[in-house]
Amino acid sequence: MATLLITGADLAGGGAQDLLVEDGRIVEVGTIRSAKGADVLDADGLVALPGLVDLHTHLREPGREDAETIASGSAAAAVGGYTAILAMANTDPVTDTAEAAERILDLGRAAGLVDVVPVGAVTKGLAGEELAELGLMHRSRAGVTVFSDDGHCVADSRVMRRALEYVRAFGGVVSQHAQDPHLAGPHACAHEGELSGRLGLPGWPGIAEESIVARDVMLARHTGSRVHVAHVSTAGTVEVIRWAKAQGIAVTAEVTPHHLVLTTDLLTGYDPTYKVNPPLRPQEDVDALRAALADGTIDAVATDHAPHARHDKEHAFVDAAFGMLGLETALSVVSDVMVGSGLLDWAGVARVMSQAPARIAGLTSHGQALAEGSPAHLTLVDPTATVTVDRSASLSLSRNNPWHGRTLQGAVHATVFGGRVTAQKGAIA
Ligand SMILES: [Zn+2]
């Protein structure tokens, strides 16, 4: 394999160094004058981060390849700075068997742009009743470690308890989409408050999330197992997680880029682009989520990248599909809002977008320090670049991009996956 010399990169804000990459590994860090036969990537002025890891990606293959395929989602991930993405199980068919998980793994390898890591369903068919083949999925070639019925909540306390007990045996984790279906039913689509009443939209109250998270952290304590809270959206959930961590309960949590910036006021125009589950919340919640990400209560940023075909998204607000794109813009959003405000430095971005998600998912070859011997998965960021998001430039097959037209500071310059440059300046290399 070719040798790659990356010159003058600021290692997660820790000072400029040169990096020599051979056979997919970083073999030297320091001042490297030259390397015979190496491709040179000039990273002067760029920040190098360990390759980004997304705990929460929806690829639509199998079943809805018109909205996203594993290949198109991998391309969007690579230009977004990602080297590993966890593919949620709510495809058609659902990833609830070892064979289905291995198929996702193989399609990801065939695309070859990022590690596509299958998430296994907690329950068969995401029906919330009978546990899926958790052990078989874990023991398969796919080595599934993260299980989630995402899109649905594992609402039955007994099923959740059994799932936690089961995955504990092999160090797995259950990622919960926390939504009490009695408090926020299938039509709930707007933060419950004065605005949802005025707009006539079915309310999705914060307590529907908070009550499930409170139950789940107690189940995690009771079972001695590990729970992960997907897309935290309220200040109340942050309080529960902060308390649980203080008790030593094994809970981790993620926040999406959109919940760090966008607020429920955007719903006044009934634009389905802003319809997402959990819904956009008021500014007080956004402020609490930013603070929680900065202080470590929330461990990771995860995109909840949710591509949808036009004919599923362009409907009256109540009928449109839930979800927004996120892979290509996540780093710029985090840079703009968290680094720009001083809440995180670049070492902090490395923590929340690479190290913590890799640790939560048990991915030992990702989230490593940029040091000799580490796998050469890295993301080069230009902190001074400004980007104006253009949804038509996306490599995703879908266009439901809530950032369209916004200008953000900080952009992915290049992504290196296994020693190979996979993307540069918004295009596949
Ligand atoms: Zn979800």
Side-chain angles (χ1 to χ4, degrees):
M1 191 183 277
T3 306
L4 177 66
L5 176 61
I6 300 167
T7 60
D10 180 8
L11 303 190
Q17 302 272 18
D18 306 325
L19 295 162
L20 186 65
V21 171
E22 269 173 19
D23 296 329
R25 292 206 167 259
I26 298 170
V27 294
E28 195 179 343
V29 178
T31 303
I32 305 164
R33 297 254 170 253
S34 66
K36 205 163 165 245
D39 292 331
V40 178
L41 206 167
D42 176 5
D44 195 27
L46 305 180
V47 174
L49 305 174
L52 307 185
V53 176
D54 189 18
L55 285 170
H56 196 144
T57 302
H58 295 278
L59 303 172
R60 300 304 189 191
E61 185 174 4
R64 286 304 304 268
E65 290 84 351
D66 57 325
E68 199 80 285
T69 63
I70 287 172
S72 67
S74 294
V79 300
Y82 287 91
T83 55
I85 56 176
L86 279 92
M88 280 295 173
N90 63 336
T91 46
D92 184 14
V94 170
T95 312
D96 58 3
T97 64
E99 295 71 29
E102 288 177 348
R103 185 163 158 73
I104 304 289
L105 180 77
D106 291 341
L107 287 167
R109 284 188 180 153
L113 292 168
V114 293
D115 279 328
V116 176
V117 180
V119 173
V122 176
T123 64
K124 287 183 182 168
L126 310 176
E129 288 161 10
E130 210 183 327
L131 287 188
E133 299 175 353
L134 309 184
L136 290 175
M137 285 191 270
H138 180 70
R139 289 193 297 276
S140 76
R141 280 191 292 114
V144 177
T145 298
V146 181
F147 296 87
S148 183
D149 274 2
D150 187 62
H152 302 269
C153 182
V154 181
D156 185 317
S157 306
R158 189 167 167 275
V159 173
M160 187 63 177
R161 177 188 175 178
R162 291 274 172 264
L164 288 167
E165 286 170 344
Y166 205 104
V167 302
R168 184 188 55 191
F170 51 79
V173 61
V174 176
S175 173
Q176 175 72 294
H177 171 120
Q179 176 179 6
D180 183 322
H182 300 292
L183 289 169
H187 303 294
C189 63
H191 171 71
E192 183 182 287
E194 184 271 324
L195 183 68
S196 65
R198 190 147 48 85
L199 297 175
L201 295 172
W204 197 134
I207 188 66
E209 175 175 299
E210 294 149 8
S211 57
I212 291 289
V213 175
R215 180 202 73 175
D216 285 355
V217 297
M218 295 310 284
L219 286 173
R221 177 158 82 176
H222 181 76
T223 56
S225 192
R226 206 152 64 88
V227 70
H228 176 74
V229 185
H231 42 49
V232 173
S233 74
T234 80
T237 301
V238 168
E239 280 183 67
V240 174
I241 294 167
R242 190 171 281 136
W243 174 86
K245 286 190 166 182
Q247 311 308 307
I249 296 170
V251 57
T252 54
E254 69 187 37
V255 63
T256 69
H258 47 272
H259 287 111
L260 287 172
V261 180
L262 308 179
T263 59
T264 188
D265 314 337
L266 287 163
L267 270 50
T268 50
Y270 295 98
D271 180 347
T273 309
Y274 300 115
K275 181 176 175 181
V276 67
N277 189 6
L280 301 178
R281 302 288 185 189
Q283 190 64 46
E284 308 86 87
D285 290 311
V286 169
D287 293 341
L289 295 171
R290 290 182 187 183
L293 183 63
D295 74 18
T297 304
I298 293 177
D299 302 81
V301 171
T303 67
D304 197 4
H305 178 82
H308 288 294
R310 262 205 179 104
H311 57 272
D312 292 322
K313 198 63 174 164
E314 291 182 1
H315 282 290
F317 194 89
V318 286
D319 300 323
F322 288 102
M324 5 179 108
L325 299 185
L327 283 171
E328 291 162 291
T329 45
L331 186 280
S332 290
V333 173
V334 171
S335 163
D336 191 79
V337 68
M338 297 300 290
V339 180
S341 63
L343 282 169
L344 282 181
D345 57 15
W346 288 108
V349 176
R351 172 168 54 82
V352 301
M353 294 189 80
S354 179
Q355 289 151 1
R359 176 175 44 80
I360 291 164
L363 302 179
T364 51
S365 75
H366 290 270
Q368 300 288 319
L370 298 177
E372 282 176 29
S374 291
H377 302 311
L378 50 113
T379 306
L380 295 169
V381 177
D382 184 345
T384 63
T386 54
V387 285
T388 301
V389 178
D390 176 2
R391 67 178 160 227
S392 67
S394 177
L395 296 182
S396 168
L397 298 183
S398 294
R399 291 290 175 266
N400 51 313
N401 189 331
W403 308 102
H404 179 67
R406 288 185 186 244
T407 299
L408 302 166
Q409 181 167 349
V412 172
H413 177 84
T415 310
V416 177
F417 170 61
R420 181 166 61 92
V421 178
T422 49
Q424 203 157 4
K425 291 187 172 179
I428 293 302

